[in-house]
Amino acid sequence: MGQDVAQRILKEVKDLPPFSAIANRALKLTNNPRSSAIDISRVISYDPAFTARVLRMANSAYYGFSRKVTTVSEAIVILGYETLKSVVLALTLQKFYDREVHGYGLEKGDLWKHSVGCALASRLIATQVKYVSVEEAFVAGLLHDIGKVILNQFVREEIDKIIELSGSQGLSFAEAEKQVLGFDHQDIGSKVAEKWNFNDKIVEAIRCHHRPDRARKDMDLTAIVHVADFICLSLGLGVGSDGMLYPLKKEALDRLKLDEPEIDNLIFAAYNITEEIEKILA
Ligand SMILES: [Fe+2]
Ligand SMILES: [Fe+2]
């Protein structure tokens, strides 16, 4: 069953315009190495409400700029093009994530909060461990659970079986997904990200975020997303019903050379994420 269902989903995802026209343009631009700051600002300025949200996010304490960013061109100068791109991507995906995710015990908006939380936490960890690209960490964190949205949309019937199995046998959803469908939200999420032209490292981080030991291309990036996911779960950020069934893997901490007090510090530093997200959403 697994292959057939996965193939069908991938085909439908391909045919489905999941986003608005502006979102599609933004997604294409963010994945095009030849796009420029002017292109991106054009897309943003096209929609004043979107511009306001970009600026609100740019002014989030998580970006740590003392100066207030008031225009898109200023945002490009102050934030830098790469950061602006990831902010645009986050806001672009909001609609897609911002729905009730039946079966995972997530209410409307929960998965979006969890995803932005994980993106911000990934960025925080990436900065602390001096990872080579903090923005890549942000994007991988943002997309790690995208498979949940996809499964929710395409295999609604099977979701009930997954819940039942997870409840009766105490399995994590990923384990129950694998038993019922033959693949899990990591597998399908990584395939979709591949289709959307995200790079190999991001695709791998999505595929391995619950099993960081399986990463080969960029073990650091996968470990960052894994730890960020754990931090969000510890903070109760968009946890849903199976949140606590994903333990923190020691190998991810070893990989990043983080010890327990440092994790506690990171959790503390990430404590305000929820508040930040509410502000961005306001
Ligand atoms: Fe997950
Ligand atoms: Fe997650």
Side-chain angles (χ1 to χ4, degrees):
M1 171 184 197
Q3 278 302 336
D4 297 353
V5 181
Q7 282 309 325
R8 174 176 63 85
I9 294 175
L10 284 174
K11 191 177 172 298
E12 284 178 37
V13 167
K14 196 176 140 226
D15 298 339
L16 183 89
F19 309 119
S20 63
I22 172 171
N24 267 325
R25 276 173 59 202
L27 192 65
K28 272 208 187 99
L29 276 179
T30 51
N31 279 325
N32 180 356
R34 278 178 304 181
S35 66
S36 69
I38 296 168
D39 296 328
I40 208 100
S41 66
R42 232 183 251 142
V43 171
I44 302 167
S45 311
Y46 186 74
D47 179 343
F50 194 71
T51 306
R53 283 161 57 222
V54 168
L55 293 176
R56 209 150 42 210
M57 193 150 182
N59 282 307
S60 149
Y62 276 82
Y63 290 100
F65 298 103
S66 50
R67 236 178 93 193
K68 196 161 165 46
V69 183
T70 51
T71 64
V72 172
S73 42
E74 224 180 5
I76 295 170
V77 175
I78 299 177
L79 267 70
Y81 177 45
E82 289 304 316
T83 303
L84 185 68
K85 271 204 313 193
S86 57
V87 167
V88 169
L89 181 69
L91 294 172
T92 296
L93 289 174
Q94 182 180 356
K95 259 215 177 87
F96 192 65
Y97 274 114
D98 203 12
R99 18 179 116 159
E100 180 201 351
V101 187
H102 166 76
Y104 292 94
L106 293 164
E107 285 173 24
K108 192 175 168 338
D110 274 1
L111 193 60
W112 198 77
K113 283 184 195 164
H114 175 73
S115 305
V116 175
C118 194
L120 292 170
S122 296
R123 209 174 183 282
L124 204 65
I125 300 166
T127 309
Q128 164 134 356
V129 303
K130 300 192 171 56
Y131 177 67
V132 56
S133 167
V134 287
E135 292 314 321
E136 215 153 67
F138 179 95
V139 172
L142 185 70
L143 295 171
H144 79 285
D145 272 339
I146 193 132
K148 288 189 174 176
V149 190
I150 311 276
L151 286 185
N152 207 254
Q153 198 166 337
F154 292 96
V155 293
R156 280 201 89 114
E157 276 170 36
E158 286 91 342
I159 291 273
D160 291 329
K161 277 189 226 153
I162 293 168
I163 305 168
E164 214 183 284
L165 191 67
S166 142
S168 64
Q169 298 194 16
L171 301 175
S172 70
F173 268 41
E175 289 164 323
E177 285 160 2
K178 199 127 200 160
Q179 285 202 22
V180 173
L181 299 165
F183 59 86
D184 53 31
H185 71 271
Q186 301 96 285
D187 296 328
I188 201 74
S190 61
K191 292 232 160 64
V192 169
E194 212 172 358
K195 250 188 202 322
W196 287 345
N197 292 324
F198 285 95
N199 72 36
D200 292 359
K201 295 190 287 178
I202 291 173
V203 168
E204 177 179 75
I206 298 170
R207 193 177 59 245
C208 303
H209 71 267
H210 294 298
R211 294 291 313 269
D213 55 309
R214 294 195 174 162
R216 295 290 173 268
K217 290 197 167 74
D218 190 335
M219 292 183 246
D220 290 349
L221 183 63
T222 302
I224 287 171
V225 175
H226 175 78
V227 175
D229 198 14
F230 174 80
I231 289 177
C232 289
L233 297 177
S234 320
L235 293 170
L237 197 62
V239 173
S241 49
D242 78 329
M244 286 306 147
L245 293 168
Y246 296 107
L248 177 62
K249 304 272 189 205
K250 194 177 169 300
E251 58 263 29
L253 296 183
D254 294 345
R255 176 87 218 162
L256 300 172
K257 300 189 180 69
L258 289 170
D259 54 22
E260 267 178 42
E262 278 172 307
I263 286 293
D264 289 344
N265 283 340
L266 280 167
I267 294 178
F268 188 71
Y271 187 70
N272 295 327
I273 282 180
T274 319
E275 222 172 89
E276 280 303 317
I277 295 172
E278 301 295 342
K279 260 193 250 162
I280 294 164
L281 281 174

